[in-house]
Amino acid sequence: MENYILEVNNLNVKANTLNGIVEILDNVSFKVEKSKIFGIVGESGSGKSITALSIMNLLNKDTFNISGDIIFNNNNILSFNDKEMSHIRGKDIAIIFQEPMTALNPIMTVREQIEEILIIHNSCKRDELKNRVEEVLKKVRVPNPKEIMERYPFQLSGGLRQRVMIAMAIVLKPKLIIADEPTTALDVTIQMEILNLLKDLSNELQCTVIIITHDLSVVAEICDEVMVMYLGRVLEQCSVIEFFDNKLHPYSIGLIDSTPDNMKDNRFFNIEGYIPKVYEKPIGCKFNTRCNKVMERCIKLEPELITLKENHRVRCFLYSKEEA
């Protein structure tokens, strides 16, 4: 695992629901290289955020049954108890949540929220706290940091709130940052600023970033590698260049064809149907209800995730050597 900071092996997550026990993630496996930006894409309901919460060990054990291995720094963090996990959560692994307005504490100032992280991890002396806060706000390009740090979240714009979330994530210089839809609800100009900031911070801090998104323009802009998920399965994984130049899975092709850049005759392409509920998963290939290349065996059997060439994996019978 020398070149990898994170290795997820056969991650399975089941949830206790009103519809009984449902499978959310099924044998999700992937590796993330050190100092790279790794994108996880797919529609809502594909399992992206549950994967992130599993890595952070934030899923409620009373509701979710989790199995598999999540190896970070040669430790299986799924076996960690709450105390052990609290030592690395925020310090070695940090997360930028999807909606900063709900993730930030509304009754604490920006300074108090960042200082709290430093205090919990005994990162610096109390008389140095204010300087550390100002320093990290400058790093994430917050204008007038001395003024902004004394404000409450509701007094900030969406872009500033997102920068504060990033500041909280990087203040302890973690080895891995997970960004869950970091540009949601931001206008295009601010989106680009946030993406460039994440890219620059990854280079400057030599940290690894996992970006969860449904926006392929985000993937194209800053990611080195991409993994496509659907209904809790990994359908494809490869380098970003390979993904846009030589995508293989019908779902990946559909996602790219659905982008505005590929509009034809003033019409957007859309993948037929909708993603099923987790308790209504089809038998066989989970994408068979929406696939325009579905075959008879796709309805009966589920394809394996196979490696076709170096660092390009795909789960589809179109590329399987097995006979029907």
Side-chain angles (χ1 to χ4, degrees):
M1 196 180 159
E2 291 181 4
N3 295 324
Y4 299 98
I5 192 165
L6 182 75
E7 185 173 338
V8 177
N9 295 318
N10 301 317
L11 177 63
N12 291 275
V13 175
K14 296 179 181 179
N16 299 313
T17 73
L18 295 175
N19 296 289
I21 297 176
V22 297
E23 186 179 63
I24 299 177
L25 298 183
D26 178 40
N27 285 325
V28 170
S29 298
F30 61 94
K31 299 177 183 178
V32 181
E33 285 190 57
K34 293 177 180 176
S35 303
K36 298 290 187 180
I37 300 181
F38 185 93
I40 302 179
V41 301
E43 296 166 280
S44 297
S46 56
K48 308 184 302 297
S49 292
I50 290 292
T51 301
L53 292 173
S54 299
I55 295 169
M56 293 298 295
N57 215 339
L58 285 172
L59 292 177
N60 187 316
K61 300 296 193 299
D62 294 330
T63 303
F64 296 94
N65 181 275
I66 309 161
S67 63
D69 299 314
I70 298 178
I71 311 298
F72 174 77
N73 268 4
N74 298 316
N75 293 305
N76 185 1
I77 58 178
L78 270 190
S79 66
F80 282 14
N81 58 36
D82 290 341
K83 186 176 180 180
E84 290 170 324
M85 196 64 202
S86 67
H87 288 307
I88 68 168
R89 190 188 293 126
K91 184 180 179 182
D92 295 319
I93 308 176
I95 188 166
I96 303 166
F97 287 105
Q98 184 169 351
E99 179 43 65
M101 194 59 194
T102 55
L104 292 169
N105 190 324
I107 61 171
M108 293 175 68
T109 64
V110 169
R111 177 172 59 81
E112 289 170 334
Q113 296 191 55
I114 299 176
E115 284 181 351
E116 185 177 47
I117 298 169
L118 295 167
I119 292 168
I120 288 172
H121 290 280
N122 297 313
S123 176
C124 69
K125 297 177 182 177
R126 286 190 175 268
D127 59 356
E128 297 173 356
L129 288 171
K130 195 170 182 179
N131 288 336
R132 283 287 297 275
V133 172
E134 184 179 352
E135 179 184 299
V136 75
L137 289 177
K138 285 179 179 177
K139 195 177 287 291
V140 298
R141 300 164 195 167
V142 168
N144 305 316
K146 285 184 179 179
E147 178 187 338
I148 297 299
M149 73 167 70
E150 303 302 338
R151 291 185 183 177
Y152 293 90
F154 75 89
Q155 296 174 306
L156 306 179
S157 66
L160 277 177
R161 286 195 292 264
Q162 192 61 279
R163 289 176 192 275
V164 170
M165 286 291 297
I166 295 172
M168 292 172 68
I170 70 163
V171 68
L172 296 178
K173 299 180 180 178
K175 299 178 179 69
L176 174 64
I177 296 173
I178 300 172
D180 190 355
E181 301 280 6
T183 58
T184 297
L186 299 177
D187 66 48
V188 176
T189 304
I190 303 299
Q191 282 184 20
M192 193 55 63
E193 290 178 3
I194 295 298
L195 292 177
N196 287 333
L197 175 61
L198 285 171
K199 187 191 298 185
D200 293 343
L201 288 171
S202 175
N203 291 329
E204 182 183 343
L205 302 175
Q206 286 297 291
C207 68
T208 305
V209 178
I210 295 176
I211 288 192
I212 293 166
T213 184
H214 62 271
D215 188 342
L216 291 182
S217 65
V218 170
V219 173
E221 181 64 31
I222 69 168
C223 291
D224 299 298
E225 193 165 356
V226 61
M227 181 173 77
V228 180
M229 293 188 70
Y230 185 84
L231 269 184
R233 269 57 165 191
V234 177
L235 296 191
E236 188 163 3
Q237 182 185 346
C238 58
S239 72
V240 165
I241 293 174
E242 179 79 1
F243 181 68
F244 285 99
D245 289 349
N246 189 31
K247 60 270 184 192
L248 298 175
H249 199 282
Y251 182 54
S252 302
I253 294 169
L255 289 176
I256 292 177
D257 286 347
S258 300
T259 59
D261 290 342
N262 290 311
M263 186 170 63
K264 295 178 181 178
D265 300 323
N266 292 321
R267 292 177 64 89
F268 287 110
F269 173 84
N270 66 292
I271 302 172
E272 290 188 10
Y274 58 91
I275 189 166
K277 303 293 184 185
V278 288
Y279 50 84
E280 296 175 341
K281 291 181 181 180
I283 296 172
C285 174
K286 302 310 171 216
F287 188 59
N288 65 29
T289 58
R290 305 173 70 193
C291 184
N292 57 9
K293 295 184 179 178
V294 64
M295 300 177 286
E296 185 177 347
R297 61 174 164 169
C298 305
I299 300 170
K300 300 176 182 177
L301 304 170
E302 182 161 17
E304 296 290 327
L305 186 63
I306 59 173
T307 302
L308 290 182
K309 51 184 173 180
E310 187 179 5
N311 296 327
H312 197 154
R313 303 187 300 159
V314 66
R315 187 190 299 274
C316 183
F317 283 127
L318 289 172
Y319 310 99
S320 172
K321 294 179 182 179
E322 300 173 13
E323 295 298 324

PDB file of all heavy atoms in Angstrom, residues 25-55:
ATOM      1  N   LEU A  25     -24.526  -0.471   0.144  1.00  0.00           N
ATOM      2  CA  LEU A  25     -23.263  -0.654  -0.581  1.00  0.00           C
ATOM      3  C   LEU A  25     -22.978  -2.147  -0.696  1.00  0.00           C
ATOM      4  O   LEU A  25     -23.148  -2.891   0.268  1.00  0.00           O
ATOM      5  CB  LEU A  25     -22.098   0.030   0.140  1.00  0.00           C
ATOM      6  CG  LEU A  25     -22.143   1.549   0.312  1.00  0.00           C
ATOM      7  CD1 LEU A  25     -20.861   2.043   0.983  1.00  0.00           C
ATOM      8  CD2 LEU A  25     -22.354   2.259  -1.011  1.00  0.00           C
ATOM      9  N   ASP A  26     -22.544  -2.558  -1.876  1.00  0.00           N
ATOM     10  CA  ASP A  26     -22.284  -3.972  -2.116  1.00  0.00           C
ATOM     11  C   ASP A  26     -20.865  -4.169  -2.637  1.00  0.00           C
ATOM     12  O   ASP A  26     -20.551  -3.839  -3.778  1.00  0.00           O
ATOM     13  CB  ASP A  26     -23.297  -4.535  -3.121  1.00  0.00           C
ATOM     14  CG  ASP A  26     -23.047  -5.993  -3.447  1.00  0.00           C
ATOM     15  OD1 ASP A  26     -22.705  -6.761  -2.529  1.00  0.00           O
ATOM     16  OD2 ASP A  26     -23.167  -6.361  -4.621  1.00  0.00           O
ATOM     17  N   ASN A  27     -19.991  -4.683  -1.771  1.00  0.00           N
ATOM     18  CA  ASN A  27     -18.612  -5.022  -2.155  1.00  0.00           C
ATOM     19  C   ASN A  27     -17.906  -3.881  -2.895  1.00  0.00           C
ATOM     20  O   ASN A  27     -17.314  -4.089  -3.953  1.00  0.00           O
ATOM     21  CB  ASN A  27     -18.584  -6.293  -3.000  1.00  0.00           C
ATOM     22  CG  ASN A  27     -18.805  -7.543  -2.164  1.00  0.00           C
ATOM     23  OD1 ASN A  27     -18.363  -7.618  -1.015  1.00  0.00           O
ATOM     24  ND2 ASN A  27     -19.518  -8.504  -2.708  1.00  0.00           N
ATOM     25  N   VAL A  28     -17.969  -2.705  -2.314  1.00  0.00           N
ATOM     26  CA  VAL A  28     -17.285  -1.554  -2.905  1.00  0.00           C
ATOM     27  C   VAL A  28     -15.801  -1.650  -2.572  1.00  0.00           C
ATOM     28  O   VAL A  28     -15.409  -1.741  -1.410  1.00  0.00           O
ATOM     29  CB  VAL A  28     -17.871  -0.229  -2.365  1.00  0.00           C
ATOM     30  CG1 VAL A  28     -17.011   0.958  -2.793  1.00  0.00           C
ATOM     31  CG2 VAL A  28     -19.301  -0.060  -2.858  1.00  0.00           C
ATOM     32  N   SER A  29     -14.974  -1.644  -3.620  1.00  0.00           N
ATOM     33  CA  SER A  29     -13.520  -1.726  -3.437  1.00  0.00           C
ATOM     34  C   SER A  29     -12.836  -0.710  -4.344  1.00  0.00           C
ATOM     35  O   SER A  29     -13.182  -0.588  -5.522  1.00  0.00           O
ATOM     36  CB  SER A  29     -13.001  -3.131  -3.778  1.00  0.00           C
ATOM     37  OG  SER A  29     -13.546  -4.108  -2.929  1.00  0.00           O
ATOM     38  N   PHE A  30     -11.886   0.011  -3.776  1.00  0.00           N
ATOM     39  CA  PHE A  30     -11.080   0.939  -4.573  1.00  0.00           C
ATOM     40  C   PHE A  30      -9.867   1.383  -3.767  1.00  0.00           C
ATOM     41  O   PHE A  30      -9.818   1.224  -2.548  1.00  0.00           O
ATOM     42  CB  PHE A  30     -11.896   2.153  -5.022  1.00  0.00           C
ATOM     43  CG  PHE A  30     -12.447   3.006  -3.909  1.00  0.00           C
ATOM     44  CD1 PHE A  30     -11.765   4.126  -3.451  1.00  0.00           C
ATOM     45  CD2 PHE A  30     -13.675   2.696  -3.324  1.00  0.00           C
ATOM     46  CE1 PHE A  30     -12.277   4.908  -2.425  1.00  0.00           C
ATOM     47  CE2 PHE A  30     -14.191   3.474  -2.299  1.00  0.00           C
ATOM     48  CZ  PHE A  30     -13.483   4.584  -1.848  1.00  0.00           C
ATOM     49  N   LYS A  31      -8.880   1.923  -4.470  1.00  0.00           N
ATOM     50  CA  LYS A  31      -7.676   2.464  -3.843  1.00  0.00           C
ATOM     51  C   LYS A  31      -7.492   3.912  -4.288  1.00  0.00           C
ATOM     52  O   LYS A  31      -7.808   4.253  -5.422  1.00  0.00           O
ATOM     53  CB  LYS A  31      -6.437   1.649  -4.249  1.00  0.00           C
ATOM     54  CG  LYS A  31      -6.471   0.186  -3.839  1.00  0.00           C
ATOM     55  CD  LYS A  31      -5.231  -0.530  -4.359  1.00  0.00           C
ATOM     56  CE  LYS A  31      -5.261  -2.019  -4.020  1.00  0.00           C
ATOM     57  NZ  LYS A  31      -4.061  -2.714  -4.571  1.00  0.00           N
ATOM     58  N   VAL A  32      -6.974   4.720  -3.379  1.00  0.00           N
ATOM     59  CA  VAL A  32      -6.736   6.126  -3.685  1.00  0.00           C
ATOM     60  C   VAL A  32      -5.250   6.423  -3.495  1.00  0.00           C
ATOM     61  O   VAL A  32      -4.698   6.190  -2.409  1.00  0.00           O
ATOM     62  CB  VAL A  32      -7.575   7.054  -2.785  1.00  0.00           C
ATOM     63  CG1 VAL A  32      -7.316   8.511  -3.143  1.00  0.00           C
ATOM     64  CG2 VAL A  32      -9.057   6.723  -2.914  1.00  0.00           C
ATOM     65  N   GLU A  33      -4.618   6.912  -4.552  1.00  0.00           N
ATOM     66  CA  GLU A  33      -3.189   7.221  -4.489  1.00  0.00           C
ATOM     67  C   GLU A  33      -2.917   8.457  -3.649  1.00  0.00           C
ATOM     68  O   GLU A  33      -3.741   9.374  -3.563  1.00  0.00           O
ATOM     69  CB  GLU A  33      -2.634   7.459  -5.903  1.00  0.00           C
ATOM     70  CG  GLU A  33      -2.446   6.206  -6.719  1.00  0.00           C
ATOM     71  CD  GLU A  33      -1.685   6.486  -8.004  1.00  0.00           C
ATOM     72  OE1 GLU A  33      -0.556   7.002  -7.937  1.00  0.00           O
ATOM     73  OE2 GLU A  33      -2.245   6.216  -9.079  1.00  0.00           O
ATOM     74  N   LYS A  34      -1.743   8.465  -3.039  1.00  0.00           N
ATOM     75  CA  LYS A  34      -1.338   9.610  -2.236  1.00  0.00           C
ATOM     76  C   LYS A  34      -1.217  10.870  -3.096  1.00  0.00           C
ATOM     77  O   LYS A  34      -0.764  10.810  -4.238  1.00  0.00           O
ATOM     78  CB  LYS A  34       0.012   9.331  -1.558  1.00  0.00           C
ATOM     79  CG  LYS A  34      -0.042   8.240  -0.500  1.00  0.00           C
ATOM     80  CD  LYS A  34       1.339   7.965   0.074  1.00  0.00           C
ATOM     81  CE  LYS A  34       1.273   6.868   1.140  1.00  0.00           C
ATOM     82  NZ  LYS A  34       2.610   6.514   1.661  1.00  0.00           N
ATOM     83  N   SER A  35      -1.649  11.986  -2.524  1.00  0.00           N
ATOM     84  CA  SER A  35      -1.515  13.322  -3.135  1.00  0.00           C
ATOM     85  C   SER A  35      -2.265  13.464  -4.460  1.00  0.00           C
ATOM     86  O   SER A  35      -1.941  14.343  -5.259  1.00  0.00           O
ATOM     87  CB  SER A  35      -0.031  13.679  -3.337  1.00  0.00           C
ATOM     88  OG  SER A  35       0.651  13.618  -2.105  1.00  0.00           O
ATOM     89  N   LYS A  36      -3.261  12.603  -4.691  1.00  0.00           N
ATOM     90  CA  LYS A  36      -4.075  12.705  -5.898  1.00  0.00           C
ATOM     91  C   LYS A  36      -5.470  13.223  -5.544  1.00  0.00           C
ATOM     92  O   LYS A  36      -5.876  13.237  -4.385  1.00  0.00           O
ATOM     93  CB  LYS A  36      -4.203  11.331  -6.577  1.00  0.00           C
ATOM     94  CG  LYS A  36      -2.889  10.735  -7.053  1.00  0.00           C
ATOM     95  CD  LYS A  36      -2.328  11.494  -8.248  1.00  0.00           C
ATOM     96  CE  LYS A  36      -1.107  10.784  -8.819  1.00  0.00           C
ATOM     97  NZ  LYS A  36      -0.548  11.516  -9.976  1.00  0.00           N
ATOM     98  N   ILE A  37      -6.216  13.641  -6.571  1.00  0.00           N
ATOM     99  CA  ILE A  37      -7.609  14.047  -6.385  1.00  0.00           C
ATOM    100  C   ILE A  37      -8.476  12.998  -7.066  1.00  0.00           C
ATOM    101  O   ILE A  37      -8.382  12.774  -8.271  1.00  0.00           O
ATOM    102  CB  ILE A  37      -7.870  15.447  -6.964  1.00  0.00           C
ATOM    103  CG1 ILE A  37      -6.974  16.476  -6.262  1.00  0.00           C
ATOM    104  CG2 ILE A  37      -9.332  15.828  -6.792  1.00  0.00           C
ATOM    105  CD1 ILE A  37      -7.168  17.902  -6.740  1.00  0.00           C
ATOM    106  N   PHE A  38      -9.300  12.342  -6.260  1.00  0.00           N
ATOM    107  CA  PHE A  38     -10.074  11.173  -6.679  1.00  0.00           C
ATOM    108  C   PHE A  38     -11.556  11.538  -6.673  1.00  0.00           C
ATOM    109  O   PHE A  38     -12.088  11.980  -5.654  1.00  0.00           O
ATOM    110  CB  PHE A  38      -9.786  10.028  -5.696  1.00  0.00           C
ATOM    111  CG  PHE A  38     -10.408   8.709  -6.036  1.00  0.00           C
ATOM    112  CD1 PHE A  38      -9.709   7.772  -6.778  1.00  0.00           C
ATOM    113  CD2 PHE A  38     -11.684   8.375  -5.588  1.00  0.00           C
ATOM    114  CE1 PHE A  38     -10.268   6.528  -7.083  1.00  0.00           C
ATOM    115  CE2 PHE A  38     -12.245   7.150  -5.875  1.00  0.00           C
ATOM    116  CZ  PHE A  38     -11.534   6.222  -6.628  1.00  0.00           C
ATOM    117  N   GLY A  39     -12.223  11.392  -7.808  1.00  0.00           N
ATOM    118  CA  GLY A  39     -13.633  11.750  -7.908  1.00  0.00           C
ATOM    119  C   GLY A  39     -14.543  10.539  -7.836  1.00  0.00           C
ATOM    120  O   GLY A  39     -14.253   9.497  -8.428  1.00  0.00           O
ATOM    121  N   ILE A  40     -15.637  10.666  -7.091  1.00  0.00           N
ATOM    122  CA  ILE A  40     -16.678   9.631  -7.047  1.00  0.00           C
ATOM    123  C   ILE A  40     -17.950  10.264  -7.608  1.00  0.00           C
ATOM    124  O   ILE A  40     -18.433  11.268  -7.076  1.00  0.00           O
ATOM    125  CB  ILE A  40     -16.929   9.117  -5.627  1.00  0.00           C
ATOM    126  CG1 ILE A  40     -15.638   8.560  -5.017  1.00  0.00           C
ATOM    127  CG2 ILE A  40     -18.014   8.046  -5.627  1.00  0.00           C
ATOM    128  CD1 ILE A  40     -15.787   8.045  -3.589  1.00  0.00           C
ATOM    129  N   VAL A  41     -18.471   9.702  -8.714  1.00  0.00           N
ATOM    130  CA  VAL A  41     -19.618  10.306  -9.378  1.00  0.00           C
ATOM    131  C   VAL A  41     -20.775   9.318  -9.483  1.00  0.00           C
ATOM    132  O   VAL A  41     -20.604   8.108  -9.373  1.00  0.00           O
ATOM    133  CB  VAL A  41     -19.252  10.816 -10.798  1.00  0.00           C
ATOM    134  CG1 VAL A  41     -18.138  11.837 -10.735  1.00  0.00           C
ATOM    135  CG2 VAL A  41     -18.858   9.670 -11.715  1.00  0.00           C
ATOM    136  N   GLY A  42     -21.948   9.886  -9.726  1.00  0.00           N
ATOM    137  CA  GLY A  42     -23.161   9.089  -9.869  1.00  0.00           C
ATOM    138  C   GLY A  42     -24.354   9.929  -9.440  1.00  0.00           C
ATOM    139  O   GLY A  42     -24.209  10.971  -8.799  1.00  0.00           O
ATOM    140  N   GLU A  43     -25.538   9.468  -9.817  1.00  0.00           N
ATOM    141  CA  GLU A  43     -26.754  10.192  -9.458  1.00  0.00           C
ATOM    142  C   GLU A  43     -27.029  10.073  -7.955  1.00  0.00           C
ATOM    143  O   GLU A  43     -26.435   9.247  -7.266  1.00  0.00           O
ATOM    144  CB  GLU A  43     -27.945   9.624 -10.232  1.00  0.00           C
ATOM    145  CG  GLU A  43     -27.862   9.809 -11.735  1.00  0.00           C
ATOM    146  CD  GLU A  43     -28.878   8.947 -12.458  1.00  0.00           C
ATOM    147  OE1 GLU A  43     -28.615   7.737 -12.632  1.00  0.00           O
ATOM    148  OE2 GLU A  43     -29.935   9.477 -12.843  1.00  0.00           O
ATOM    149  N   SER A  44     -27.957  10.884  -7.471  1.00  0.00           N
ATOM    150  CA  SER A  44     -28.398  10.762  -6.081  1.00  0.00           C
ATOM    151  C   SER A  44     -28.940   9.353  -5.852  1.00  0.00           C
ATOM    152  O   SER A  44     -29.693   8.831  -6.673  1.00  0.00           O
ATOM    153  CB  SER A  44     -29.491  11.785  -5.785  1.00  0.00           C
ATOM    154  OG  SER A  44     -28.997  13.099  -5.917  1.00  0.00           O
ATOM    155  N   GLY A  45     -28.528   8.736  -4.761  1.00  0.00           N
ATOM    156  CA  GLY A  45     -28.968   7.376  -4.463  1.00  0.00           C
ATOM    157  C   GLY A  45     -28.000   6.314  -4.923  1.00  0.00           C
ATOM    158  O   GLY A  45     -28.271   5.118  -4.787  1.00  0.00           O
ATOM    159  N   SER A  46     -26.836   6.728  -5.451  1.00  0.00           N
ATOM    160  CA  SER A  46     -25.885   5.732  -5.946  1.00  0.00           C
ATOM    161  C   SER A  46     -24.923   5.231  -4.867  1.00  0.00           C
ATOM    162  O   SER A  46     -24.202   4.271  -5.089  1.00  0.00           O
ATOM    163  CB  SER A  46     -25.085   6.307  -7.127  1.00  0.00           C
ATOM    164  OG  SER A  46     -24.437   7.504  -6.763  1.00  0.00           O
ATOM    165  N   GLY A  47     -24.911   5.896  -3.704  1.00  0.00           N
ATOM    166  CA  GLY A  47     -24.075   5.410  -2.597  1.00  0.00           C
ATOM    167  C   GLY A  47     -22.829   6.227  -2.346  1.00  0.00           C
ATOM    168  O   GLY A  47     -21.983   5.828  -1.527  1.00  0.00           O
ATOM    169  N   LYS A  48     -22.706   7.363  -2.999  1.00  0.00           N
ATOM    170  CA  LYS A  48     -21.486   8.173  -2.870  1.00  0.00           C
ATOM    171  C   LYS A  48     -21.277   8.680  -1.442  1.00  0.00           C
ATOM    172  O   LYS A  48     -20.199   8.514  -0.864  1.00  0.00           O
ATOM    173  CB  LYS A  48     -21.528   9.369  -3.835  1.00  0.00           C
ATOM    174  CG  LYS A  48     -21.816   9.022  -5.283  1.00  0.00           C
ATOM    175  CD  LYS A  48     -21.747  10.238  -6.191  1.00  0.00           C
ATOM    176  CE  LYS A  48     -22.697  11.363  -5.827  1.00  0.00           C
ATOM    177  NZ  LYS A  48     -24.127  10.991  -5.927  1.00  0.00           N
ATOM    178  N   SER A  49     -22.302   9.330  -0.904  1.00  0.00           N
ATOM    179  CA  SER A  49     -22.159   9.933   0.433  1.00  0.00           C
ATOM    180  C   SER A  49     -22.042   8.874   1.523  1.00  0.00           C
ATOM    181  O   SER A  49     -21.320   9.074   2.510  1.00  0.00           O
ATOM    182  CB  SER A  49     -23.340  10.862   0.724  1.00  0.00           C
ATOM    183  OG  SER A  49     -23.299  12.003  -0.125  1.00  0.00           O
ATOM    184  N   ILE A  50     -22.737   7.738   1.364  1.00  0.00           N
ATOM    185  CA  ILE A  50     -22.612   6.652   2.336  1.00  0.00           C
ATOM    186  C   ILE A  50     -21.188   6.119   2.336  1.00  0.00           C
ATOM    187  O   ILE A  50     -20.631   5.766   3.391  1.00  0.00           O
ATOM    188  CB  ILE A  50     -23.615   5.522   2.029  1.00  0.00           C
ATOM    189  CG1 ILE A  50     -25.043   5.979   2.308  1.00  0.00           C
ATOM    190  CG2 ILE A  50     -23.299   4.270   2.840  1.00  0.00           C
ATOM    191  CD1 ILE A  50     -25.356   6.211   3.778  1.00  0.00           C
ATOM    192  N   THR A  51     -20.565   6.074   1.170  1.00  0.00           N
ATOM    193  CA  THR A  51     -19.156   5.659   1.083  1.00  0.00           C
ATOM    194  C   THR A  51     -18.283   6.624   1.874  1.00  0.00           C
ATOM    195  O   THR A  51     -17.403   6.209   2.640  1.00  0.00           O
ATOM    196  CB  THR A  51     -18.696   5.608  -0.384  1.00  0.00           C
ATOM    197  OG1 THR A  51     -19.513   4.678  -1.108  1.00  0.00           O
ATOM    198  CG2 THR A  51     -17.245   5.175  -0.491  1.00  0.00           C
ATOM    199  N   ALA A  52     -18.528   7.926   1.717  1.00  0.00           N
ATOM    200  CA  ALA A  52     -17.746   8.937   2.437  1.00  0.00           C
ATOM    201  C   ALA A  52     -17.939   8.818   3.945  1.00  0.00           C
ATOM    202  O   ALA A  52     -16.970   8.858   4.715  1.00  0.00           O
ATOM    203  CB  ALA A  52     -18.147  10.338   1.967  1.00  0.00           C
ATOM    204  N   LEU A  53     -19.190   8.661   4.381  1.00  0.00           N
ATOM    205  CA  LEU A  53     -19.465   8.550   5.810  1.00  0.00           C
ATOM    206  C   LEU A  53     -18.870   7.271   6.395  1.00  0.00           C
ATOM    207  O   LEU A  53     -18.476   7.235   7.566  1.00  0.00           O
ATOM    208  CB  LEU A  53     -20.975   8.605   6.060  1.00  0.00           C
ATOM    209  CG  LEU A  53     -21.645   9.952   5.759  1.00  0.00           C
ATOM    210  CD1 LEU A  53     -23.163   9.835   5.874  1.00  0.00           C
ATOM    211  CD2 LEU A  53     -21.129  11.041   6.700  1.00  0.00           C
ATOM    212  N   SER A  54     -18.798   6.224   5.582  1.00  0.00           N
ATOM    213  CA  SER A  54     -18.167   4.978   6.029  1.00  0.00           C
ATOM    214  C   SER A  54     -16.675   5.195   6.263  1.00  0.00           C
ATOM    215  O   SER A  54     -16.117   4.711   7.260  1.00  0.00           O
ATOM    216  CB  SER A  54     -18.368   3.866   4.995  1.00  0.00           C
ATOM    217  OG  SER A  54     -19.733   3.589   4.792  1.00  0.00           O
ATOM    218  N   ILE A  55     -16.036   5.922   5.351  1.00  0.00           N
ATOM    219  CA  ILE A  55     -14.608   6.201   5.496  1.00  0.00           C
ATOM    220  C   ILE A  55     -14.349   7.024   6.760  1.00  0.00           C
ATOM    221  O   ILE A  55     -13.365   6.817   7.470  1.00  0.00           O
ATOM    222  CB  ILE A  55     -14.072   6.937   4.254  1.00  0.00           C
ATOM    223  CG1 ILE A  55     -14.154   6.027   3.015  1.00  0.00           C
ATOM    224  CG2 ILE A  55     -12.624   7.401   4.461  1.00  0.00           C
ATOM    225  CD1 ILE A  55     -13.903   6.745   1.695  1.00  0.00           C
TER     226      ILE A  55
END
